[in-house]
Amino acid sequence: MKIRILLVLPLLFAWSSFAQEQESWLGNLAPAARSIQRERGFPMEFAGKGSLTVEKWRKQGRAEVTKALSYFPKPVPLDIKVHSVMKRDGYDVRIISFAGSAHYRVPAYLLVPTTGRGPYPAVVALHDHGGWFVHGKEKLVRMDGEHAALTGFREQYYGGRAWADELAQKGFVVIVPDAFYWGERRLQYNRPPEALQTRLAGLDPVTKEYVVAMNSFLREQAAVLQTWLAFAGTTWMGIVNHDDRRCVDVLVSLPEVDRNRIGCAGLSGGGYRATYMTGMEPRLKVSVIVGWMTSLPTTWDISYTVHSSLFDAFSAHANLDHPDIASLGAPGCALFVQNCAQDRLFTRAGMDAAAGKIGAVYAALGRADRYQYKYYDVPHQFNVAMQEDAFAWLEKWLR
């Protein structure tokens, strides 16, 4: 009998250790969150549309997301300003800004081919979140004298490439805006608070250490941003999505752009932005969502903290899962979802469920050919091989 106990005890300890390792990061709160979500489900998903026509379903879904985004600025002229131009081999880089709303201007890079014949197809290139706020548009466009910290960042997440430049060389007009809270639009002070001064004391702004410290501070303040924007009656994602769609306004206003051939692409937080663009921007003909596609309830299966300080239209998920938002663009927007098989931000089950959910919509609408998803056996990134596949998808539907 003692032998049997001794044999069983190690198994019990092993099971207990495994259970602890696999416990949801929400711990004892996870069951309540699961129960709340399951009680309601996602009543506006395509599979539950019932007798609604596709057009009525899409209209209702977009109205729900629009309400959740909660950002309704009064229309203003674009007022595009070109601040400088840099000549490159086969394209120009224009440093521009435009009126996002009456409340602010949006700085952006505009890459315009100088070879071939226009009007050209165009892409809104969406930089990532990454918890890296000091730089925004600079992540995707090579600039002279750029910060040394960008080199390692691009190596880790983009295979060392500034991929917007690659697209411009291939004959695409590319616009790369700073999202709200990144790059030139990040949180800055005339009189920095003491906590920030202490953190940056003795650090040279040209060093990586300075950038790491500043990004750490900005990550911590993102929760404050979410709350205070809510006090203003709006959402962080509402501003971000509005400005991303405003980039399409810029593109269609340009004589160099074919307004009927516009797409978007982005990694991680950029993929999140691309999801909302796919579902909400009817002028898009193609989209590439990289490294951010999952069924949201599966995040409670993750045993470590992820997705903190994320921009989102949170109340939309009372009716729509994340993939449901992308599917609102079907079948008019040809969609390619690129998943990273080693991505710690998601579960494989969550990525599979999302990919299948979107695919079912395109198939039901008779346009399965306009949807593709693919796994790459890599951690969270948009490497060169993935970029080449993405470029081929953009070429296929925009040429």
Short mmCIF file of all heavy atoms in Angstrom, two decimals, residues 7-23:
data_model
loop_
_atom_site.label_atom_id
_atom_site.label_comp_id
_atom_site.label_asym_id
_atom_site.label_seq_id
_atom_site.Cartn_x
_atom_site.Cartn_y
_atom_site.Cartn_z
N LEU A 7 3.90 5.94 -5.43
CA LEU A 7 3.83 6.07 -6.88
C LEU A 7 2.82 7.13 -7.30
O LEU A 7 3.01 7.86 -8.25
CB LEU A 7 3.44 4.72 -7.50
CG LEU A 7 4.51 3.63 -7.47
CD1 LEU A 7 3.93 2.32 -7.97
CD2 LEU A 7 5.71 4.04 -8.31
N VAL A 8 1.73 7.24 -6.56
CA VAL A 8 0.68 8.18 -6.93
C VAL A 8 1.03 9.61 -6.58
O VAL A 8 0.74 10.55 -7.31
CB VAL A 8 -0.65 7.77 -6.25
CG1 VAL A 8 -1.69 8.86 -6.44
CG2 VAL A 8 -1.15 6.46 -6.83
N LEU A 9 1.72 9.79 -5.43
CA LEU A 9 2.02 11.16 -4.99
C LEU A 9 2.79 11.97 -6.02
O LEU A 9 2.44 13.13 -6.28
CB LEU A 9 2.76 11.11 -3.66
CG LEU A 9 1.88 10.89 -2.43
CD1 LEU A 9 2.75 10.75 -1.18
CD2 LEU A 9 0.89 12.03 -2.25
N PRO A 10 3.85 11.42 -6.67
CA PRO A 10 4.54 12.21 -7.69
C PRO A 10 3.61 12.64 -8.82
O PRO A 10 3.73 13.72 -9.36
CB PRO A 10 5.64 11.27 -8.18
CG PRO A 10 5.89 10.35 -7.04
CD PRO A 10 4.55 10.14 -6.41
N LEU A 11 2.67 11.74 -9.16
CA LEU A 11 1.73 12.09 -10.22
C LEU A 11 0.82 13.23 -9.80
O LEU A 11 0.51 14.13 -10.58
CB LEU A 11 0.89 10.86 -10.59
CG LEU A 11 1.67 9.70 -11.23
CD1 LEU A 11 0.73 8.52 -11.46
CD2 LEU A 11 2.30 10.14 -12.55
N LEU A 12 0.40 13.19 -8.51
CA LEU A 12 -0.45 14.27 -8.01
C LEU A 12 0.29 15.59 -7.98
O LEU A 12 -0.24 16.63 -8.37
CB LEU A 12 -0.95 13.92 -6.61
CG LEU A 12 -2.00 12.80 -6.52
CD1 LEU A 12 -2.26 12.46 -5.06
CD2 LEU A 12 -3.27 13.20 -7.21
N PHE A 13 1.57 15.53 -7.53
CA PHE A 13 2.37 16.76 -7.51
C PHE A 13 2.57 17.29 -8.92
O PHE A 13 2.51 18.49 -9.18
CB PHE A 13 3.72 16.49 -6.85
CG PHE A 13 3.62 16.32 -5.36
CD1 PHE A 13 4.34 15.33 -4.71
CD2 PHE A 13 2.79 17.14 -4.60
CE1 PHE A 13 4.25 15.16 -3.34
CE2 PHE A 13 2.70 17.00 -3.22
CZ PHE A 13 3.42 15.99 -2.59
N ALA A 14 2.83 16.37 -9.88
CA ALA A 14 3.04 16.79 -11.27
C ALA A 14 1.79 17.43 -11.84
O ALA A 14 1.83 18.46 -12.49
CB ALA A 14 3.46 15.59 -12.12
N TRP A 15 0.62 16.78 -11.52
CA TRP A 15 -0.64 17.34 -12.01
C TRP A 15 -0.90 18.70 -11.41
O TRP A 15 -1.31 19.64 -12.07
CB TRP A 15 -1.78 16.40 -11.68
CG TRP A 15 -3.11 16.92 -12.17
CD1 TRP A 15 -3.68 16.71 -13.38
CD2 TRP A 15 -4.02 17.76 -11.45
NE1 TRP A 15 -4.88 17.38 -13.47
CE2 TRP A 15 -5.11 18.02 -12.30
CE3 TRP A 15 -4.01 18.32 -10.17
CZ2 TRP A 15 -6.18 18.81 -11.91
CZ3 TRP A 15 -5.08 19.11 -9.79
CH2 TRP A 15 -6.15 19.34 -10.65
N SER A 16 -0.64 18.82 -10.10
CA SER A 16 -0.86 20.10 -9.41
C SER A 16 0.01 21.18 -10.01
O SER A 16 -0.44 22.30 -10.26
CB SER A 16 -0.56 19.94 -7.93
OG SER A 16 -0.68 21.19 -7.28
N SER A 17 1.28 20.85 -10.28
CA SER A 17 2.20 21.82 -10.88
C SER A 17 1.72 22.23 -12.26
O SER A 17 1.72 23.40 -12.63
CB SER A 17 3.60 21.23 -10.96
OG SER A 17 4.48 22.11 -11.63
N PHE A 18 1.26 21.23 -13.05
CA PHE A 18 0.78 21.51 -14.40
C PHE A 18 -0.45 22.42 -14.35
O PHE A 18 -0.56 23.39 -15.11
CB PHE A 18 0.42 20.20 -15.10
CG PHE A 18 -0.18 20.39 -16.47
CD1 PHE A 18 0.64 20.65 -17.57
CD2 PHE A 18 -1.55 20.30 -16.67
CE1 PHE A 18 0.09 20.81 -18.84
CE2 PHE A 18 -2.10 20.48 -17.92
CZ PHE A 18 -1.27 20.73 -19.00
N ALA A 19 -1.36 22.11 -13.39
CA ALA A 19 -2.57 22.91 -13.27
C ALA A 19 -2.24 24.35 -12.92
O ALA A 19 -2.84 25.30 -13.44
CB ALA A 19 -3.49 22.31 -12.22
N GLN A 20 -1.25 24.52 -12.02
CA GLN A 20 -0.85 25.87 -11.65
C GLN A 20 -0.26 26.62 -12.83
O GLN A 20 -0.52 27.79 -13.04
CB GLN A 20 0.14 25.82 -10.49
CG GLN A 20 -0.47 25.39 -9.17
CD GLN A 20 0.55 25.27 -8.07
OE1 GLN A 20 1.74 25.46 -8.31
NE2 GLN A 20 0.10 24.94 -6.88
N GLU A 21 0.55 25.91 -13.61
CA GLU A 21 1.17 26.54 -14.77
C GLU A 21 0.12 26.97 -15.79
O GLU A 21 0.27 27.97 -16.47
CB GLU A 21 2.16 25.58 -15.42
CG GLU A 21 3.42 25.34 -14.62
CD GLU A 21 4.32 24.30 -15.26
OE1 GLU A 21 3.98 23.79 -16.33
OE2 GLU A 21 5.37 24.00 -14.67
N GLN A 22 -0.96 26.18 -15.90
CA GLN A 22 -1.96 26.43 -16.92
C GLN A 22 -3.12 27.31 -16.45
O GLN A 22 -4.03 27.58 -17.21
CB GLN A 22 -2.51 25.09 -17.44
CG GLN A 22 -1.46 24.24 -18.13
CD GLN A 22 -0.84 24.95 -19.32
OE1 GLN A 22 -1.55 25.47 -20.18
NE2 GLN A 22 0.48 25.00 -19.36
N GLU A 23 -3.10 27.71 -15.18
CA GLU A 23 -4.20 28.52 -14.67
C GLU A 23 -4.29 29.84 -15.43
O GLU A 23 -3.29 30.48 -15.74
CB GLU A 23 -3.99 28.80 -13.18
CG GLU A 23 -5.14 29.58 -12.55
CD GLU A 23 -4.93 29.85 -11.08
OE1 GLU A 23 -3.77 29.73 -10.62
OE2 GLU A 23 -5.90 30.16 -10.39
#
